[in-house]
Amino acid sequence: MKSHPSLIDEQGEVRELTEKDFAVMQPAKEVLPTSLLKTLRIRGRQKAPTKTN
């Protein structure tokens, strides 16, 4: 597996994300264990809006 540059610099500041950073990102449900997903209660999108103005 290739090493990616750290997201935090020497001063502790978070650097700006690049296109390469976004290219290697994966959905949480693909990389996190099922037990953690249940704890975080990650759900899908709403099927219909719950409120109308």
Side-chain angles (χ1 to χ4, degrees), residues 21-47:
D21 294 322
F22 286 107
V24 298
M25 289 183 181
Q26 298 176 358
K29 65 182 178 180
E30 291 181 11
V31 294
L32 296 178
T34 306
S35 59
L36 180 57
L37 290 173
K38 287 180 181 178
T39 302
L40 296 174
R41 296 183 177 187
I42 295 177
R43 304 182 331 185
R45 294 185 175 202
Q46 282 184 213
K47 292 183 180 179

Side-chain angles (χ1 to χ4, degrees), residues 4-22:
H4 299 286
S6 175
L7 295 176
I8 301 172
D9 63 14
E10 296 80 28
Q11 294 82 25
E13 296 290 322
V14 178
R15 67 175 174 80
E16 187 171 333
L17 295 175
T18 64
E19 292 293 324
K20 289 181 183 180
D21 294 322
F22 286 107

